[in-house]
């Protein structure tokens, strides 16, 4: 909630997980959005140094650089944790499994159709070749 309120995401963010009757388009939107999640928090609470206590500009900049590294690492860790959670949930979601099974069946059907077309094309080519040979033999016999 805190990240969503401080983020620049639009209000159409699919926050609803849905249920077993939720259409696949909604489910895929939900996972696509959460798989591309990026935290917008500034992570100031993980700062190692208080830059206001720096005695001079050079040390202050070194402190800022160190704080920047720590913030970046904390943001990356948070994003990785969320991505791992999404992956964990998606891997176990029966709606995703059902959709993957449907896609696999469709792919197998397409492959069968392609093989059937290929076999028909091959048979047609062989028949044309035989007809051509017969026609060529007739033409040779006429001479």
């Amino acid at each position: 909630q805190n990240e969503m309120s401080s983020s620049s995401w639009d209000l159409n963010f699919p926050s609803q997980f849905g249920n077993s009757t939720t259409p696949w388009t909604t489910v895929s939107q939900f996972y696509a959005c959460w798989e591309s999640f990026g935290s917008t928090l500034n992570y100031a609470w993980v700062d190692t140094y208080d830059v206001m206590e720096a005695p001079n500009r050079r040390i202050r900049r070194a402190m800022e650089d160190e704080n920047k590294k720590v913030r970046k690492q904390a943001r990356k860790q948070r994003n990785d944790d969320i991505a791992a959670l999404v992956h964990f949930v998606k891997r176990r979601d029966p709606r995703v499994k059902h959709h993957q099974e449907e896609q696999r069946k469709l792919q197998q059907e397409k492959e069968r159709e392609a093989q059937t077309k290929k076999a028909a094309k091959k048979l047609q080519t062989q028949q044309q070749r035989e007809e051509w040979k017969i026609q060529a033999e007739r033409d040779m016999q006429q001479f």
Side-chain angles (χ1 to χ4, degrees):
Q1 284 292 5
N2 190 18
E3 286 196 49
M4 289 179 63
S5 65
S6 68
S7 71
S8 61
W9 288 353
D10 61 2
L11 297 176
N12 295 330
F13 186 76
S15 60
Q16 296 297 319
F17 183 71
N19 57 29
S20 62
T21 60
T22 303
W24 174 249
T25 55
T26 306
V27 173
S28 64
Q29 272 184 334
F30 175 83
Y31 282 115
C33 189
W34 279 106
E35 286 172 339
S36 64
F37 176 81
S39 179
T40 58
L41 296 178
N42 65 7
Y43 292 90
W45 62 90
V46 297
D47 285 354
T48 309
Y49 301 103
D50 182 7
V51 293
M52 299 305 254
E53 295 177 0
N56 58 43
R57 187 179 71 181
R58 185 175 55 85
I59 294 175
R60 187 183 78 240
R61 289 206 176 146
M63 288 176 164
E64 287 172 348
D65 288 343
E66 184 64 28
N67 286 344
K68 189 176 181 181
K69 288 178 190 176
V70 172
R71 287 179 185 192
K72 185 177 180 180
Q73 184 179 10
R75 181 176 289 112
K76 183 176 180 349
Q77 182 64 43
R78 171 79 170 156
N79 291 339
D80 290 347
D81 289 346
I82 290 174
L85 175 64
V86 171
H87 181 69
F88 177 84
V89 171
K90 187 176 181 180
R91 199 174 46 223
R92 287 160 180 79
D93 191 342
R95 299 171 299 178
V96 174
K97 290 179 181 179
H98 178 72
H99 179 73
Q100 288 172 342
E101 183 65 26
E102 285 179 356
Q103 292 300 312
R104 187 183 61 75
K105 286 179 182 178
L106 286 173
Q107 182 65 27
Q108 287 176 345
E109 184 62 33
K110 285 181 183 179
E111 289 173 1
R112 271 190 241 115
E113 287 177 12
Q115 288 175 349
T116 304
K117 286 181 181 179
K118 186 177 178 181
K121 180 78 171 171
K122 187 175 182 179
L123 180 63
Q124 182 184 10
T125 304
Q126 286 176 344
Q127 289 173 348
Q128 288 175 346
R129 187 177 296 132
E130 290 299 321
E131 290 173 7
W132 179 78
K133 283 182 184 179
I134 292 171
Q135 184 65 34
E137 287 177 8
R138 285 186 198 153
D139 290 345
M140 293 299 276
Q141 287 176 358
Q142 287 179 359
F143 290 115

